[in-house]
């Protein structure tokens, strides 16, 4: 695994910043085509567990954060600018590239 080969903020000379949205809790019992069910399925694929796991709708928080890094968790931010389950429809939700969100993480790109 990546964490096994490169645990935490591996290189001392590199400044690490991890940004994740805490927005959707995976729910195995949610109705099909709901955010909770979509997140459950996505999180299960990413980390092997999705029920009651929080993240941005695609990536669980615990898989997005790195020990020793500057870890930023932004409430209400989704993974994608597309409507869940599509690539054609723009999402009405805030995502990492939304203007008001970029200002929260862009300062770490130095």
């Amino acid at each position: 695994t990546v964490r096994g080969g490169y645990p935490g903020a591996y290189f001392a000379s590199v400044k690490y910043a991890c940004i994740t949205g805490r927005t959707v809790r995976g729910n195995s019992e949610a109705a099909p085509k709901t955010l909770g069910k979509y997140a459950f399925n996505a999180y299960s694929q990413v980390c092997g567990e999705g029920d009651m796991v929080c993240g941005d709708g695609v990536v669980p928080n615990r898989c997005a954060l790195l020990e020793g890094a500057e870890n930023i968790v932004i409430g209400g931010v989704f993974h994608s600018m597309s409507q869940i389950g599509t690539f054609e429809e723009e999402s009405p939700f805030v995502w990492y590239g939304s203007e008001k969100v970029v200002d929260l993480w862009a300062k770490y790109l130095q």
Side-chain angles (χ1 to χ4, degrees):
T1 67
V2 173
R3 286 190 178 168
Y6 302 95
Y10 187 74
F11 296 102
S13 61
V14 176
K15 290 176 73 176
Y16 294 82
C18 301
I19 315 298
T20 186
R22 185 177 177 91
T23 308
V24 184
R25 186 179 303 273
N27 183 347
S28 62
E29 297 179 9
K33 298 186 179 184
T34 61
L35 288 174
K37 188 63 153 192
Y38 183 89
F40 166 77
N41 290 329
Y43 301 161
S44 294
Q45 290 178 22
V46 173
C47 72
E49 184 180 355
D51 205 27
M52 304 311 290
V53 174
C54 289
D56 64 10
V58 176
V59 179
N61 293 146
R62 67 178 183 218
C63 293
L65 303 175
L66 191 59
E67 186 178 328
E70 180 78 33
N71 290 304
I72 311 301
V73 180
I74 307 171
V77 175
F78 283 84
H79 185 86
S80 177
M81 64 185 207
S82 300
Q83 186 70 26
I84 297 286
T86 75
F87 293 105
E88 297 82 30
E89 297 177 47
E90 190 173 319
S91 173
F93 302 116
V94 176
W95 73 292
Y96 297 113
S98 296
E99 191 172 327
K100 64 183 178 181
V101 177
V102 170
D103 292 338
L104 299 174
W105 60 261
K107 61 187 171 192
Y108 295 98
L109 300 176
Q110 298 180 27

